[in-house]
Amino acid sequence: MTGEVTGVIGAQWGDEGKGGHTARLAEEHDVIMRYNGGSNAGHTFDYLGEEVNTHQVPSGVLFPDKLNISGNGVLLNPVALFVDELPKLRAGGIRINEDNYRVSDIAAMVMPHHVILDNAREAGSNSQGTTGRGISYSAADKYGRENFRTEQITENPAQLMRDARTAISMVEAIGIDTANVVKAISKKDGDETYRGISSVDEMLEQWWESAQLLIPYLDNTIGLIRSHLKRGDRLLAEGAQGIGLDMELGTQPLGSSSHCGVGGMINGLGINHEDIKRVFGIAKLPMTRVGGNGYRFPGLIEDSEIAEALRGKRGEIDGEFGKSSGRERDECYPQVPPLVTAVESGGVTDFIITKMDKAEKFGPTMKVAVGYMLDGVRIDSLPPSAAKFERCSPIYEELPTWRTEDIVNIRSFDELPVQALGFIGLIEEKTGKPVSAIGVGPFRDQVIVR
Ligand code: GDP
């Protein structure tokens, strides 16, 4: 008996509504695994009527009998985990402990100097529009083979502490005023990680304390995953961000520091491609993105009334504001080419389209980009370059929309208005993959599965 892995990936720029669908799929799986990203990513879903956010922890925590794993591909921040995420989940009534949550013992850690470097860069003229959580610098050290892996906490703690201090000295040696940056970090809106600390030493202490708390959770997760596959279990691999933000396949350099598609799943969990049976690509009807760095995406909605209607209000559960950053997301017309990339390079076998309830915000019809013209040549997938993506002009088809009230209360594809079926048919025709579920509202039961 062999088990199998189902994947869930973002088919656009993250924020597609993966969290809710992963939680729904988690219910049917035994083991739920995160394979990329870090505390910068966030999933939102409702738990017993309350809004719950996960960042480094898989959505399987909603179900106390599931095993949850943060795999080796996660850039792990112990402080964000023990000071922010776990206390909040526990306060929300979620049981999470060493029995139902395991963390890879070879994951690269996000260290204090990574957070300092990120915040120093964000405050300067070469800001990348990151969430300031140190992710990109942690990834840089990982690929630079610096030794900040989780296993060092127990294998060689004295060396790890020395390396953490040396790294801070190196940051100071390049002229960064660490005391000042730490002050800003301690007061940062929407980020509890190092709230209230007053010095670099306190920051190091906080990290060290959290690193100690991580010890009972550490495991050889690659071996653990294999043993569950051998037992015939069903495993769910939950991706953070989306294919447009993939380090290799996304619009470089506007990506995240991780691999968002099946490639990331295989490496970030240590599994075999033959273990993966199905990969759901989550795509949102209005395409959104956040953190543009001065690049302008094709298909950006110019009509501010439509954009605002789609975005909703700050504080609404489905409002288009970053869950980790609070930043307002840009609203774009629906676009097929990113979905083609999600199939061709991201490994998607089925699509789930969320926010089908928002179509009427476009008015009686909506434009859907089915390809782009780039420097006089038609392309049907995403160019893996922000500079080239900015030069793309969408080739639109105009489709009729449908009324929200006509879909929010139905639960079967057969009852969908013909206009909604037309949009679904277009996605299927252009990507060659089925749409196997749609979202019609922010709550977990507002899903229509085919
Ligand atoms: P993720 O990072 O991909 O999980 O996405 P976010 O957490 O940024 O956004 C998910 C938000 O969208 C949640 O608040 C969901 O409740 C909401 N959402 C998901 N699917 C739908 C949908 O079909 N319709 C509406 N209106 N909201 C949805």
Side-chain angles (χ1 to χ4, degrees), residues 140-185:
D141 269 355
K142 171 176 177 164
Y143 289 97
R145 303 190 299 273
E146 298 295 344
N147 217 355
F148 297 119
R149 294 184 322 283
T150 45
E151 70 171 359
Q152 287 293 93
I153 303 169
T154 51
E155 290 289 334
N156 206 339
Q159 183 67 43
L160 178 60
M161 195 42 154
R162 268 198 302 278
D163 288 348
R165 286 191 185 283
T166 307
I168 300 270
S169 312
M170 286 166 73
V171 170
E172 284 165 351
I174 57 169
I176 291 175
D177 180 347
T178 53
N180 238 344
V181 181
V182 164
K183 214 182 285 169
I185 291 170

Side-chain angles (χ1 to χ4, degrees), residues 177-218:
D177 180 347
T178 53
N180 238 344
V181 181
V182 164
K183 214 182 285 169
I185 291 170
S186 73
K187 292 192 251 166
K188 220 165 120 191
D189 276 348
D191 186 355
E192 303 296 319
T193 316
Y194 286 107
R195 170 83 56 222
I197 49 152
S198 56
S199 65
V200 174
D201 279 345
E202 260 184 54
M203 196 173 183
L204 279 164
E205 269 166 40
Q206 173 106 76
W207 159 73
W208 188 248
E209 257 171 47
S210 300
Q212 301 310 303
L213 295 174
L214 190 59
I215 294 171
Y217 293 85
L218 295 180

Side-chain angles (χ1 to χ4, degrees), residues 307-347:
E308 273 165 34
L310 286 166
R311 190 176 297 121
K313 297 208 166 42
R314 207 176 274 281
E316 282 174 355
I317 187 164
D318 59 352
E320 294 288 1
F321 299 88
K323 289 292 162 353
S324 296
S325 65
R327 285 177 297 181
E328 183 176 299
R329 296 173 187 153
D330 288 339
E331 299 284 336
C332 303
Y333 288 104
Q335 307 193 14
V336 178
L339 311 194
V340 172
T341 297
V343 171
E344 292 176 346
S345 307

Side-chain angles (χ1 to χ4, degrees), residues 14-21 42-46 51 53 284 317-321 323 329 353-358 438-443 446:
D15 312 319
E16 301 94 346
K18 291 179 295 296
H21 288 278
H43 288 324
T44 312
F45 30 80
D46 74 298
E51 182 177 323
N53 292 293
K284 186 160 60 181
I317 187 164
D318 59 352
E320 294 288 1
F321 299 88
K323 289 292 162 353
R329 296 173 187 153
I353 312 289
T354 63
K355 294 211 169 176
M356 288 286 284
D357 50 307
K358 299 289 179 188
I438 60 169
V440 294
F443 298 104
Q446 292 183 299

Side-chain angles (χ1 to χ4, degrees), residues 131-146:
T131 54
R133 278 157 166 93
I135 300 294
S136 56
Y137 287 99
S138 168
D141 269 355
K142 171 176 177 164
Y143 289 97
R145 303 190 299 273
E146 298 295 344

